[in-house]
Amino acid sequence: MPPGSPLPCHSLLLTGQAPSSTEDMAPAKKAKRRAAEGGSSNVLSMFDQTQIQEFKEAFTVIDQNRDGIINKEDLRDTFAAMGRLNVKNEELEEMIKEASGPINFTVFLTMFGEKLKGADPEDVITGAFKVLDPEGKGSIKKQFLEELLTTQCDRFSPEEIKNMWTAFPPDVAGNVDYKNICYVITHGEDKDQE
């Protein structure tokens, strides 16, 4: 389905509830209803149907008590399920504060849309990596990349470095395929997994 085209049953997908008829509603009422639901249909045009379904699955995993709203306890339970037991209340509150109100699926999807809206296109990210690859091999030495990421600008923590190597393991020669990293950043999945 091309981006921007209407999605079938999007109300059901976004809210978990059957849509009420909006055909008779005046435009002002429709806008009010969208605002009350936590966003507008514009967020739907940012993702294809498969991506929306993946976000719905993620939302369902995080919404531990299955009430349709992600709250602090849902986040705490999700972290616990991943093995992180000592999450501070302040950290959870900061996460919840990123939303303008209760985090239902529409708000959740909108938050991801806003985060991704600022992402650079794949060719721009690839171009930045190519500066570090003057021979044009398509890879960078793990040690070199790790040194840059831990000593320059927004420095990676040891945990972030560990997570990166888990997600993008270098080959046996210690080379990192930066084209794959760029693809995952902009498309959300490994080229090989498509």
Side-chain angles (χ1 to χ4, degrees), residues 109-125:
L109 194 62
T110 301
M111 290 170 72
F112 272 96
E114 289 171 354
K115 295 279 186 192
L116 295 174
K117 194 173 13 177
D120 290 319
E122 185 176 2
D123 62 330
V124 172
I125 298 170

Side-chain angles (χ1 to χ4, degrees), residues 20-30 33:
S20 62
S21 175
T22 57
E23 278 79 329
D24 313 325
M25 278 189 198
K29 281 189 177 181
K30 287 182 187 177
R33 179 174 176 181

Side-chain angles (χ1 to χ4, degrees), residues 65-124:
N65 64 8
R66 305 293 184 255
D67 66 352
I69 303 290
I70 294 175
N71 60 29
K72 196 164 64 169
E73 289 309 310
D74 290 324
L75 292 176
R76 184 182 313 284
D77 292 344
T78 301
F79 276 116
M82 296 185 321
R84 187 168 168 211
L85 302 176
N86 298 323
V87 182
K88 295 179 182 171
N89 275 331
E90 297 79 30
E91 188 177 354
L92 297 172
E93 287 167 7
E94 283 300 313
M95 290 179 195
I96 294 294
K97 284 180 188 175
E98 287 187 39
S100 57
I103 305 173
N104 62 18
F105 182 67
T106 305
V107 171
F108 181 79
L109 194 62
T110 301
M111 290 170 72
F112 272 96
E114 289 171 354
K115 295 279 186 192
L116 295 174
K117 194 173 13 177
D120 290 319
E122 185 176 2
D123 62 330
V124 172

Side-chain angles (χ1 to χ4, degrees), residues 158-177:
E159 184 179 348
E160 290 170 321
I161 290 290
K162 179 183 167 205
N163 291 341
M164 187 175 79
W165 297 142
T166 300
F168 306 105
D171 65 19
V172 292
N175 297 309
V176 179
D177 177 4

